[in-house]
Amino acid sequence: MKKLIALLLFLASFLYAVSTENILALSWENTYCKFHKAPECKRRDPYTYEHFTLHGLWPKKKNYCHTNYKFELSPLLKRVLLKYMPSLSLAKHEWRKHGTCFGTDAETYFLTAIKLTQQFNESNFVRFFQTHMGEFVSLQRLRFIFGGSFGDRNRRKFQLLCKGRYIAEIRINLKGNPIEEDLNELIDKAKPMIAVKQCQGGIITLPE
């Protein structure tokens, strides 16, 4: 599947002029399901017990750009997307609010977001989460781990969000063409996250 995604994105890179200033928002689904008894929490893919899920890929300072653009995904992509994103209703919302500003069709937008989510979930940062579930971790320590995973000078290029005492989400600053470039390159080119509210630490929620 990774090779197929890479091939489709390579072909798409010749067709579109995409947003080059973006935020990748990734949720720790264990926290969401601790506080929300949503239907998607009852039918979660086991992958989401110990990996981040896709909240969205957000072009900066743009919302609801071309709301007439259709949300059209192949049956195969819908099945793949549900491994990385909690529900198709969230996908439709993210497409309408953010994807229509990305500069591509819905398929390319979500293929790009899936690629970046896969790459993040293969990082040492996520391995740290997997081996420290149930523990409190400070923002300072997470910055150190993020720097070890993506380059020391990049340790301040994310925002940490919490729900109560629990880590809920990470939002990562990206710069560059997300269709053509990988996550490390996009983080490396981005600016640090400054003047944003930061959770100072939280518990890495265990699956229930």
Side-chain angles (χ1 to χ4, degrees):
M1 179 54 67
K2 289 181 185 177
K3 291 182 179 178
L4 177 59
I5 289 174
L7 175 60
L8 292 172
L9 290 177
F10 173 75
L11 296 173
S13 68
F14 294 98
L15 300 176
Y16 300 109
V18 303
S19 171
T20 57
E21 297 275 355
N22 301 286
I23 298 289
L24 178 64
L26 299 168
S27 299
W28 189 247
E29 195 73 3
N30 295 336
T31 299
Y32 177 83
C33 291
K34 182 178 183 66
F35 291 95
H36 301 86
K37 303 308 178 185
E40 55 264 30
C41 291
K42 296 178 181 179
R43 54 175 185 268
R44 291 172 63 186
D45 189 299
Y47 178 85
T48 68
Y49 295 160
E50 54 182 23
H51 295 90
F52 281 81
T53 58
L54 174 64
H55 182 170
L57 180 60
W58 303 341
K60 289 187 178 179
K61 300 178 182 178
K62 301 182 207 174
N63 288 326
Y64 301 106
C65 294
H66 302 282
T67 53
N68 60 318
Y69 286 9
K70 292 182 179 180
F71 176 79
E72 293 182 337
L73 303 178
S74 69
L76 175 59
L77 182 52
K78 285 180 181 178
R79 289 197 300 272
V80 173
L81 183 59
L82 285 173
K83 179 178 179 178
Y84 299 97
M85 204 168 200
S87 68
L88 288 178
S89 61
L90 174 60
K92 289 177 182 178
H93 166 77
E94 290 297 309
W95 167 249
R96 188 167 186 270
K97 184 174 181 180
H98 302 288
T100 57
C101 303
F102 187 64
T104 70
D105 63 0
E107 289 244 340
T108 304
Y109 171 72
F110 283 109
L111 283 169
T112 304
I114 289 170
K115 178 195 78 169
L116 298 176
T117 304
Q118 287 175 335
Q119 291 175 350
F120 183 78
N121 279 333
E122 292 169 356
S123 71
N124 287 331
F125 185 88
V126 176
R127 292 190 187 96
F128 176 85
F129 264 64
Q130 293 167 347
T131 55
H132 291 78
M133 284 196 280
E135 299 178 20
F136 177 91
V137 185
S138 69
L139 173 63
Q140 183 178 5
R141 189 176 184 190
L142 288 177
R143 282 175 169 164
F144 176 80
I145 301 299
F146 194 90
S149 300
F150 298 103
D152 188 60
R153 72 190 191 98
N154 296 326
R155 61 172 60 191
R156 291 180 178 269
K157 295 183 180 180
F158 72 91
Q159 179 185 13
L160 187 70
L161 287 82
C162 295
K163 176 77 172 177
R165 298 183 299 122
Y166 298 89
I167 294 172
E169 185 159 298
I170 182 170
R171 296 177 182 174
I172 307 166
N173 211 13
L174 307 178
K175 184 174 182 180
N177 187 327
I179 294 179
E180 297 178 353
E181 299 174 82
D182 66 25
L183 183 63
N184 287 69
E185 293 174 300
L186 297 168
I187 294 173
D188 207 45
K189 293 178 181 178
K191 293 181 179 179
M193 283 278 206
I194 57 174
V196 296
K197 185 177 180 180
Q198 292 274 15
C199 169
Q200 295 303 305
I203 297 169
I204 302 174
T205 315
L206 288 159
E208 295 187 340

